[in-house]
Amino acid sequence: MTPEVHRAIDAIWRIEAPSLIAKLTRMLRDVGLAEELAQDVLVTALERWPASGVPDKPGAWLMAAAKHRALDELRRRKLHERKHEELGHELEARQALFVPGIDDAALDDDIGDDLLRLVFTACHPVLSTEARLALTLRLLGGLTTEEIARAFLVPERTIAQRIVRAKRSLAEARVPFEVPRGEALAERLSSVLEVVYLVFNEGYSATAGEHWLRPALCDEALRLGRILAELAPGEPEVHGLVALMEIQASRSAARTGSRGEPVLLLEQNRSRWDRLLIGRGLAALARAEALGGALGPYALQAAIAACHARANAAQDTDWARIAALYDALAQLAPSPVVELNRAVAISMAFGPAAGLEMVEALVLQQQLRGYHLLPSVRGDLLAKLGRNREAAAEFAYAATLTRNARERELLLERAAAFASKAAQPLRAQ
């Protein structure tokens, strides 16, 4: 097989795999078996396409082959006597297709319907967060077990076990292959959005390892978010999350220097920000706002990101508005991390002393003990107040807490720089 054919098949598989697995899951009511049959179809393509060439409509070829395998499996399992039960299940599902926030046209489309069901199945709360992450990347992201393990810096065997256990848990819990309705929709949708954003965040700011960014994970999260926005166009938080990811992803090229070192937001070359992604993000935010009602947590964070995106230079940033948006976010989704970010915004809008007062309160509460960004932010505020020796100690402490090598280097450099400043004798006035 030539490298070109192999790359073509790999690209086609990543695009078509979610639809294949979703279709097979609807037919077989078994996520694990559906993935196995989809893999069988891929093996067939790998065997045939190098000789016959990639079909004009590879997706249709794969889908037809997948359906045939599913029908063969149904026959082997002697499910004909249960046909009326299966038909009844389908009719019930079709009769209950009015779901707030879910587009009727998308649900009338088999592939759209099945994909949406697969998203909610892979992100079911019966699974742990780690299991949901692994299963989502496997079934919807099209990543291999090896790729997922490499992304999260865990052994491949660990990821494989998580995926196997997740499939088993879904089967044992008899999780229905359906889009939830009513109150259950809001609960499950928040789980779906959480998983997608966790994937994005791990790509945007890797928690561990040698690299600051993992672009592949950002790309997968964006792809999943865009699909979800198409399938659930009436849900403002879906558009809010897409807007947040688009705008944050627009900074990727400016977030690292020539040696791969992190470049902080206010020091980034904004000419390197991707204006196409910013435009898409602002459009998604506008869609969220147009749906009416108060903005949710993701849309509020997107509005904060939009403030940065609209500023041509760091000094043009509307910090007062950002502080107000963080006030709203803190009311809606209170957390110590939100408070820490709010402290940064307050410091930029009203001075470092005001921000430091909030940070000191967080230190006393100890809820963020072990979180490296708390001493990092405190160090930055102390430095702005001229308390260089204390700032150096905070940056050094933050460096001991992070598991990311690039971030550790940056923090140690800042610690050394402010230690040097502290050691310099005061100049005569």
Side-chain angles (χ1 to χ4, degrees):
M1 183 188 307
T2 65
E4 291 77 12
V5 172
H6 191 283
R7 282 195 295 270
I9 294 174
D10 182 62
I12 292 166
W13 174 251
R14 287 184 187 258
I15 294 170
E16 301 294 341
S19 298
L20 287 177
I21 296 169
K23 188 75 171 181
L24 292 171
T25 303
R26 179 163 67 86
M27 295 176 71
L28 301 171
R29 300 293 188 221
D30 187 326
V31 171
L33 181 59
E35 191 194 5
E36 288 178 16
L37 293 186
Q39 291 288 342
D40 288 344
V41 171
L42 174 62
V43 171
T44 302
L46 288 170
E47 292 172 347
R48 296 186 183 179
W49 290 2
S52 62
V54 177
D56 291 336
K57 297 181 178 179
W61 188 100
L62 291 169
M63 187 63 74
K67 286 181 180 178
H68 285 306
R69 288 181 182 273
L71 290 173
D72 288 343
E73 179 63 27
L74 289 171
R75 294 189 188 100
R76 279 195 297 270
R77 291 164 57 186
K78 298 180 180 180
L79 291 180
H80 291 296
E81 65 271 22
R82 293 170 58 185
K83 188 64 177 176
H84 292 298
E85 179 184 343
E86 292 293 327
L87 287 173
H89 182 93
E90 281 298 310
L91 287 172
E92 289 175 4
R94 291 292 170 183
Q95 288 168 2
L97 282 182
F98 177 70
V99 181
I102 305 299
D103 185 59
D104 291 339
L107 284 170
D108 286 338
D109 170 60
D110 282 345
I111 299 302
D113 192 355
D114 291 342
L115 266 176
L116 193 56
R117 291 174 175 181
L118 185 60
V119 169
F120 279 97
T121 300
C123 297
H124 196 284
V126 74
L127 304 177
S128 69
T129 300
E130 293 79 11
R132 279 180 264 161
L133 283 167
L135 192 61
T136 299
L137 286 174
R138 176 71 170 169
L139 300 182
L140 293 156
L143 273 65
T144 65
T145 305
E146 179 186 2
E147 288 171 325
I148 300 169
R150 190 165 61 244
F152 288 96
L153 300 178
V154 297
E156 185 176 348
R157 182 179 177 182
T158 299
I159 292 296
Q161 289 174 340
R162 284 179 188 171
I163 292 173
V164 169
R165 283 196 297 266
K167 294 174 185 174
R168 186 185 304 128
S169 296
L170 291 174
E172 291 174 351
R174 298 177 181 265
V175 172
F177 185 63
E178 65 182 14
V179 175
R181 298 183 294 277
E183 293 181 2
L185 174 64
E187 176 190 352
R188 294 274 295 279
L189 182 61
S190 66
S191 174
V192 171
L193 299 182
E194 176 193 19
V195 167
V196 173
Y197 195 42
L198 282 171
V199 172
F200 180 84
N201 269 338
E202 185 58 33
Y204 188 72
S205 297
T207 55
E210 298 296 322
H211 301 286
W212 176 238
L213 300 175
R214 294 196 180 110
L217 285 181
C218 290
D219 292 343
E220 289 300 332
L222 271 169
R223 188 170 71 85
L224 292 174
R226 290 164 183 163
I227 290 172
L228 194 57
E230 291 177 4
L231 296 175
E235 285 291 340
E237 272 293 78
V238 174
H239 298 297
L241 176 58
V242 172
L244 176 59
M245 294 191 297
E246 298 275 15
I247 295 173
Q248 287 183 325
S250 73
R251 308 173 194 152
S252 295
R255 294 187 68 238
T256 54
S258 58
R259 297 179 289 108
E261 73 279 9
V263 178
L264 300 178
L265 176 62
L266 299 183
E267 299 170 4
Q268 290 171 14
N269 178 357
R270 300 191 176 207
S271 68
R272 300 188 66 196
W273 287 4
D274 189 321
R275 292 293 153 185
L276 175 61
L277 288 177
I278 289 174
R280 293 180 66 150
L282 295 177
L285 179 58
R287 283 194 290 274
E289 293 171 339
L291 289 170
L295 295 181
Y298 292 113
L300 282 172
Q301 291 177 77
I304 291 168
C307 289
H308 293 294
R310 293 186 176 111
N312 292 324
Q315 60 269 25
D316 298 331
T317 307
D318 188 349
W319 284 106
R321 173 159 173 74
I322 290 177
L325 288 168
Y326 268 118
D327 287 342
L329 183 60
Q331 291 290 322
L332 186 62
S335 79
V337 173
V338 170
E339 281 300 299
L340 181 61
N341 287 322
R342 191 164 76 95
V344 172
I346 292 292
S347 74
M348 296 299 294
F350 307 109
L356 183 61
E357 182 178 352
M358 295 176 63
V359 170
E360 299 290 14
L362 288 171
V363 171
L364 291 174
Q365 292 170 12
Q366 295 195 335
Q367 290 176 287
L368 292 178
R369 184 171 52 186
Y371 185 53
H372 71 282
L373 290 181
L374 179 59
S376 176
V377 168
R378 186 169 186 268
D380 187 58
L381 296 176
L382 288 168
K384 289 178 179 178
L385 292 168
R387 295 161 62 177
N388 295 324
R389 191 179 305 280
E390 294 170 85
E394 289 295 308
F395 287 128
Y397 177 50
T400 68
L401 298 178
T402 182
R403 293 188 295 132
N404 185 279
R406 293 293 189 179
E407 195 168 28
R408 186 181 303 112
E409 290 173 6
L410 174 64
L411 290 166
L412 290 174
E413 287 175 5
R414 300 194 77 188
F418 285 105
S420 177
K421 283 186 178 182
Q424 293 174 3
L426 293 174
R427 294 182 180 179
Q429 297 297 316

